[in-house]
Structure formats: structure tokens, C-alpha cells
Amino acid sequence: MTSPSPLQRLRTVLDDAVLNVTGGERPKSAPTLERPKQAAHGDYATNAAMLLPKLVGAAPPMIAERLSVALTEYLGDDLQAIDVAGPGFLNLRLSDAWLARALAQVLEAGDAYGTAGAGDAAEAIHLEFVSNNPTGPVHIGGARGAAFGSALANLLTFHGHRVHREYYVNDHGNQVELFGASLQARARGEEPPEGGYQGDYVTEVASRIPEAATRPVGEVATEGIALMVAAQKASLEAFRTTFDQWFSERSLHAPRGDGNPTHPSGPGAPDATAGADGPADATGPSEVDEAFAVLAEQGRTYERDGALFLSTTELGDDKDRVLVRADGRPTYFASDVAYHHDKRVRGYDRVIDVLGADHHGYVARIEAAFEALGGDRDRIELLITQFVNLFEAGERAKMSKRAGEFVALDDLVADIGVDAARWYLLARSHDTTIDLDLVDAREQAPENPVYYVQYAHARIRSILVRADAGETTAREPDDGSVNASERELVLAVLAWPDEVAEAAARRAPHRIATYALSLARGFAAFYRDCEVLAEGLPADVRARRLDVCSATVAVLASALGILGVDAPERMDREHAEVDAA
RNA sequence: GCCCCCGUAGCUCAGUGGAUAGAGCAGUGGUUUCCUAAACCAUGUGCGCAAGUUCGAUUCUUGCCGGGGGCACCA
């Protein structure tokens, strides 16, 4: 268990003060303790007094006065000033000594600072993301899903949850057959069939399948899918996105057979290659069959016109959905149902599906299916990532490169680099459309936020390295006081655990990017106003400011780590240009 | 028609039930004997419209307007 952060301790004190004033009762919503928008309002402001009029039977300013008395007593010398302001806010200003102690606690926590905030509420989470069709390269939509999903996984893990990352491979059904037929057509030097796959990559993949022109089309499809999955895996790894498991849709339809471990990769088990087909000679029901049996038990299915329906309507969907067509073939939805049955039985506390914008129509039916399977609706979340529009100097970017009608993840990475690509895809809320201008993103300059943040990290590292070597600079030392810039920076560092908690709770890794940028700006002000290595600076001042640097760089590294963006030791133009080339 | 997302500064977007709504970019004007100038400073009368809930709404609810997307016994 990590020790409480300085801010948590302060919250506890505030809570005590509230209880003191109310005589033991708490307001419905917890009081805020936040940085006020204006510096003149102190280090922290709380709305506590405005939450208590009904409990206390007094007006907010009056309550604020009483809270103020209690806080003054509890905090003693740590409290430099406390004021009642506006409609009942309490503005607190802490002493330099308090700040110094808080900073020491941050350094003591080291790399663990800000982690494990979930505490006892930590969950085992199944996180599915990307899940492109394995019939082509990872495209721009998949890139956003990959950036968002991997960063969300990093964020939730950092916060203390246990996250299982999974990619669902749609290796079953009509599209697979069509892909096989397209591959074979290319191998024969023909055009793909009506509605088939057109991209140049189809020809390329076909050329890597031995005798693709003459073998049974099913085999061609299987090999083609395997090649595409391998290619996607490589693209995603280069994009710093990895999975604990690639789950095969096809496996859901295979007989599981006796003794075949049904759910080998639950939260308690080591990662395994679950989702692989059962033994070749396995018999018995498939997982789809098992899921159907569960639905039937729950009384959620019925037959009509020869087809098997799931009554999702009674669970909030627009209409009931077909599981098995009249001709006996299961629908794609049947796979989805079985897949979620599998996730459920594997025993996670929570299931999160990250889906592309084109899948939002599935939300209602998947939630309904999850509930129909006996799941708790509060335990499944479907997050929809919105579209990415690419621009080139304000013009809509031409979408056709080598992958057909879409831009591939590989093309994006080759163009602007992994760091910029991840940053631009992650800096915005997942549910807003992104207009990404490649000219801006390519810019290897501090005008580009991603490099600005990296530069802040590199600059601090440089200071720390020089300090370790005992270096001083010939600069004029300042008076060594704790000035406004230093204070602001420390307060920003102290906000990190709250930022993580909020971002995790909201499934919002973009908040980490926003925070990182503001922390980098806070450091720039500190760097401008505070000498660190100047010769003639008192040793205690130098030590204190080096501590500020150490704490800041640790938080920046953690933030960039969550985003999957490199935190470099140094930056220089030559390297940047080489990387971009 | 129904459903989902969005509508905040010139542009791209953060943000919040509360005290004077922010950042980046672009623009303008400055700064370099500088721990990396890949820097810094100054400069901004903006929450689509209308009701409702609230002590207080840009934030929550409803309606409308505008933009994007989705509505298969395809995957």
C-alpha cells in the first residue's frame, strides 16, 4: 500500500473540520479541494461551506468561518493564510515548510508516486480494443483505437487496476471467405470478385501464399488471415501497442471437447493462448452453443420464421436480434454473444470494449446481450472512439496510399513518427472527432506540443546530469527564495495523483496529455525564474530546486509513459530530423 | 424517421454545478554575455438558440438549429 499523498492528507484534515462543524455528519457530495483558477485565491480552495447549509442550519459564509477556525487549529503553522471569499469559498495558502514536506514525500515515493490510487477499489479489467478485421492493414481508425486503448490500459494499470489487453480477431464468416477469394483471384492475375478486397496489399499477401492460385480457397483464406494478423501485430507493436491475447472468433465455433480448458486466461490465471481451437478431434458443444444454452435458460431466446432470436428489446435495444438464420448459419452477433459470454465466465470485475465510431449501433445490443447472459450492466462499458480526419495544410488528405482507400497506421507512423502520432491521437477526448493536420504533426519544433513536452523532460534530465557531475554555471544566482514559479510548479506536481485518478475514472487518457503539457509549461516558468546550478547559489537552495526538478521529471516521465510517448534524455534537431526521415 | 458523437477564441481543442472560462497553433510587438533559443515575455469583449432544475448552469434536463456518423438474418 502506498502512503497517502500530501493532498490526501490535506483532504483528511478538511474532512475532520467538516465533521467538527456538522457534529459528525458528511454532506452528500465530498467537498472539493482544488487549485483555484486565480492565484490570488491561494493554493487551494474548497467549496465545503457551500455544501453544508442544510446540515448546519447556517449560511455558507458563517459555516466557512467555523471551518476556518477548525482548519487553523488542525493545520497550525502549515497554514499560512485562510480566507472566506465570494459566496462561501475557503481559500487556503500553505506554508513553504508544508510545500517542502510535501515535495519530500513525492521524492520518497519515487517512481511509485501517483500509482495505485485505486486502492481497495482496484479491479480486474478485461479491455478489448482495436479488433480490426484481419482482412487488411491497421487503418487510421484502428490507430486511434490502438492509441486510446493502449493508453487507457497504461492509465488504469498505473492507477492500480489489473488490465488484460485483448484483440478480438474476426477470423470467421463471410468477410474471411471473401478475402480468400480476393487473394486467390490476385494469385491468378484476376480482379477480385464483386465486393471483394481491392487494395494493393491483397496482391502482395497473395504472393506470399504458396500455390495460392490452385489451393482450396478456404486454405488460402486461413493463410491470408494469419499473414494479416502477423502484419497487424507488427504494425501495432511498432506503435507501442501490445496485447496479452489475440482471441480468435473462429475458436468460439469450434467444439471444445472434454478436458479442453474452457477459459484459460481469467484474471487469476497466467496469460495463455486462449481462443485457440480445441483439439482437432474435439467433439461436443462450442462456446457459441454454451452461450445459447445460457440464454435459453434465462428465457431470452425464441424462434420465429425458422430463425433464433435474442430478445434484446426488453433490455433496451431497438429490436430483437437474430442469432441463427433460418438456414442454420449463425450471425456475427452470435459470435459477439459467445465472446461476451466467454469474457463473463473468465471472471473479470469489469469488461471494457473500445469500438470504432462505425460500431456505435452495436452498443445497445451488446449491453443487452451481456445482461441477458446474466451479467451486470454496470460491469460492462462500451467506449466509442470517433473518427479521425486527416488534413494536409488545411486540405483533406488524400486517403489512398498503398492500402486501398484508407491510410494505414504504418503510413501515419512513417510520416509523422510514433511519438507525434500517439500524441495527436491521444490529446483529444475519445468521443470527439479529430481533425489532424499532418503538416502540424510533422513539425519537429517546439510549436508542436509533443516535442515541447519532451523537451521539458530532456532539459530537466540535462540539469540533473550536470548536477550529479557537480557542475555549476557562471550565471548570476537569484535571491534563492521560493518564488511564485517554483511554488506553482510544486503545486502542479502535487496534483498528479488527482489527475491520474480523475483520468482513470473518466476513462480519459487525454487528460494526461493536457496535464503533461501544462506541467511542461510550469517547468518553463520555473526554469526562467529560478537558477538551479548557478555558482554562488546556497547549497540548500540548489538542493531544494534539484528536488523540484527531480519530482517534476519523474511525473513527466510517468505521464509520457502512460501515453506511450518517449521521454528522451536529450533533444537535438539532427536526431529529430533523422527520426522523421 | 430512430439512435450515437460534437457545437467553447481566427484554427485545432481542453475544462468546470460555483468567485474574472483556458491551452496550443496562427497573428502582432518584444527578448539572446541564457542551467539546450527546439526558449521566453506581452497581446484575446468566445461557451449555437430557447425554456426548465438550482442559492448559482458554459456544465444537468428537454426542445430546436447546425456538423459528423450509424441504423443487415454483412463482418
Side-chain angles (χ1 to χ4, degrees):
Chain A
M1 217 61 255
T2 52
S3 55
S5 72
L7 217 44
Q8 281 173 310
R9 293 168 201 258
L10 205 53
R11 283 219 168 76
T12 305
V13 173
L14 176 62
D15 193 47
D16 289 344
V18 167
L19 294 178
N20 176 299
V21 166
T22 61
E25 286 190 81
R26 286 193 172 81
K28 282 187 189 120
S29 54
T32 58
L33 187 67
E34 299 173 323
R35 304 289 331 277
K37 287 169 195 152
Q38 292 174 67
H41 291 155
D43 296 331
Y44 297 106
T46 177
N47 67 348
M50 287 181 284
L51 302 174
L52 303 176
K54 281 172 186 153
L55 278 179
V56 177
M62 184 78 75
I63 299 169
E65 288 294 346
R66 286 151 73 174
L67 285 170
S68 168
V69 170
L71 286 168
T72 301
E73 184 194 329
Y74 297 160
L75 289 168
D77 291 343
D78 288 341
L79 192 61
Q80 195 173 62
I82 183 164
D83 305 297
V84 178
F89 289 102
L90 265 178
N91 295 329
L92 287 70
R93 186 176 166 87
L94 284 311
S95 68
D96 288 351
W98 184 87
L99 282 175
R101 256 197 349 269
L103 190 63
Q105 285 160 11
V106 170
L107 292 171
E108 199 178 320
D111 290 344
Y113 176 57
T115 62
D120 296 340
E123 296 181 324
I125 298 174
H126 183 286
L127 181 67
E128 179 206 337
F129 59 106
V130 185
S131 301
N132 261 351
N133 280 325
T135 50
V138 181
H139 53 77
I140 185 67
R144 186 172 193 181
F148 177 73
S150 59
L152 180 60
N154 294 341
L155 171 62
L156 294 172
T157 302
F158 192 85
H159 193 48
H161 298 298
R162 297 178 300 283
V163 181
H164 177 81
R165 311 169 179 219
E166 193 159 293
Y167 183 122
Y168 179 56
V169 184
N170 299 137
D171 55 359
H172 181 83
N174 294 353
Q175 293 305 309
V176 173
E177 290 162 27
L178 195 55
F179 185 53
S182 301
L183 287 168
Q184 189 151 68
R186 287 303 187 190
R188 291 171 176 166
E190 299 164 2
E191 286 297 307
E194 183 77 21
Y197 290 85
Q198 298 290 339
D200 293 344
Y201 70 91
V202 178
T203 309
E204 195 267 325
V205 170
S207 75
R208 290 160 59 197
I209 301 173
E211 299 173 59
T214 51
R215 290 165 68 189
V217 69
E219 289 181 19
V220 175
T222 300
E223 287 208 23
I225 295 292
L227 288 169
M228 286 315 312
V229 168
Q232 290 194 4
K233 196 178 265 185
S235 299
L236 290 164
E237 278 179 12
F239 196 55
R240 301 179 192 142
T241 300
T242 57
F243 295 88
D244 298 309
Q245 190 172 332
W246 293 65
F247 190 103
S248 160
E249 179 189 358
R250 183 183 298 184
S251 72
L252 294 166
H253 296 268
R256 302 202 76 91
D258 292 338
N260 185 23
T262 312
H263 311 292
S265 70
D271 290 327
T273 52
D277 289 352
D281 58 350
T283 55
S286 68
E287 191 147 22
V288 173
D289 297 325
E290 288 176 17
F292 286 0
V294 171
L295 293 173
E297 266 171 44
Q298 303 271 340
R300 297 292 190 184
T301 55
Y302 62 90
E303 281 192 38
R304 190 176 70 204
D305 306 331
L308 182 69
F309 281 76
L310 178 62
S311 356
T312 53
T313 310
E314 58 197 35
L315 297 170
D317 196 7
D318 293 340
K319 58 183 208 178
D320 290 348
R321 306 292 172 175
V322 174
L323 290 171
V324 183
R325 304 174 180 92
D327 64 9
R329 289 153 51 233
T331 62
Y332 175 77
F333 182 53
S335 297
D336 257 347
V337 169
Y339 184 35
H340 284 83
H341 169 66
D342 186 278
K343 290 183 185 183
R344 234 180 68 61
V345 175
R346 274 192 267 169
Y348 296 95
D349 297 320
R350 182 169 301 279
V351 169
I352 302 178
D353 296 358
V354 176
L355 304 175
D358 53 338
H359 279 69
H360 91 255
Y362 297 82
V363 171
R365 79 189 65 166
I366 289 175
E367 286 178 345
F370 193 76
E371 194 171 345
L373 286 161
D376 179 348
R377 184 164 290 222
D378 294 336
R379 297 283 172 178
I380 184 168
E381 297 173 29
L382 287 93
L383 306 178
I384 304 297
T385 58
Q386 291 299 321
F387 277 57
V388 178
N389 299 314
L390 295 176
F391 291 84
E392 185 83 41
E395 296 292 315
R396 197 63 174 260
K398 291 287 176 233
M399 301 303 267
S400 173
K401 289 206 173 168
R402 58 160 231 247
E405 75 281 20
F406 41 69
V407 168
L409 168 59
D410 291 345
D411 297 326
L412 183 69
V413 168
D415 191 345
I416 67 178
V418 175
D419 287 333
R422 289 190 64 96
W423 179 275
Y424 275 86
L425 294 176
L426 286 171
R428 306 304 181 207
S429 167
H430 71 89
D431 57 12
T432 191
T433 308
I434 290 178
D435 287 346
L436 169 53
D437 198 312
L438 295 168
V439 173
D440 294 343
R442 266 197 293 266
E443 189 70 30
Q444 298 275 336
E447 287 74 25
N448 189 334
V450 63
Y451 298 119
Y452 183 87
V453 174
Q454 288 187 319
Y455 178 57
H457 181 273
R459 200 176 222 180
I460 303 173
R461 287 297 308 149
S462 167
I463 291 173
L464 294 173
V465 166
R466 294 181 65 156
D468 279 346
E471 286 185 41
T472 56
T473 69
R475 296 180 56 155
E476 273 302 294
D478 56 54
D479 67 6
S481 65
V482 180
N483 63 29
S485 299
E486 183 174 338
R487 213 185 163 79
E488 284 294 315
L489 183 55
V490 172
L491 289 168
V493 166
L494 294 181
W496 172 236
D498 279 2
E499 295 287 342
V500 172
E502 195 70 13
R506 293 176 186 265
R507 319 298 189 217
H510 76 275
R511 282 175 165 263
I512 301 299
T514 303
Y515 172 80
L517 185 57
S518 88
L519 189 63
R521 289 207 60 86
F523 174 74
F526 168 80
Y527 180 85
R528 179 188 71 234
D529 296 336
C530 300
E531 298 298 333
V532 180
L533 300 180
E535 194 176 7
L537 204 61
D540 61 326
V541 174
R542 177 181 164 113
R544 188 188 76 222
R545 289 181 176 170
L546 283 170
D547 281 354
V548 174
C549 288
S550 296
T552 304
V553 86
V555 172
L556 273 179
S558 290
L560 289 171
I562 287 170
L563 298 172
V565 172
D566 192 33
E569 286 292 299
R570 88 169 75 73
M571 305 276 282
D572 52 62
R573 264 209 186 89
E574 288 72 25
H575 288 167
E577 282 166 5
V578 168
D579 286 351

